Amino acid sequence: MENKGFKILIHASTWFAPILVPIITYFIISDREIKSLSLQALVFHIVIGILISVSAFFSWILIGIPFLIIFGLIAIIAPIVGIVKAINERPFRYPIIGSWF
């Protein structure tokens, strides 16, 4: 699998450039699998960002705290699973978002 490094980079971008890296990768790489993964990661980062923001806003009335914890864990765990699967050269699709692309 020749694009292993790009897959790891896309998954790891969640900690340093979650929007920028998937967009750049989408436009510079011609491989369909990498383009699909880039779109999945981009949409995943945007959706998780929105969910965490809404949960943080509602945490002042306590209902948002459980959601903040759950979405925060998803934002951390999903990219780690993606990195491990990319290292082992196994396919990975982001939760919920992966079925769209």
Side-chain angles (χ1 to χ4, degrees):
M1 191 169 286
E2 73 255 5
N3 294 317
K4 182 177 178 180
F6 282 110
K7 289 179 181 180
I8 293 170
L9 178 67
I10 291 167
H11 295 304
S13 72
T14 195
W15 295 293
F16 59 90
I19 305 295
L20 188 61
V21 170
I23 289 173
I24 291 172
T25 307
Y26 180 82
F27 287 115
I28 65 169
I29 302 298
S30 61
D31 184 76
R32 290 187 75 195
E33 185 178 6
I34 298 297
K35 283 187 177 280
S36 174
L37 185 63
S38 295
L39 284 175
Q40 288 179 47
L42 179 64
V43 173
F44 175 78
H45 295 312
I46 291 170
V47 169
I48 284 293
I50 291 169
L51 292 173
I52 288 174
S53 298
V54 170
S55 298
F57 174 75
F58 283 117
S59 65
W60 65 275
I61 58 171
L62 301 178
I63 196 167
I65 292 174
F67 293 112
L68 187 60
I69 293 168
I70 292 168
F71 297 139
L73 288 173
I74 291 171
I76 293 169
I77 294 170
I80 292 172
V81 171
I83 290 169
V84 170
K85 288 198 176 200
I87 289 171
N88 294 325
E89 298 184 0
R90 295 178 59 210
F92 175 77
R93 299 182 77 71
Y94 278 92
I96 301 168
I97 308 301
S99 63
W100 297 348
F101 298 98

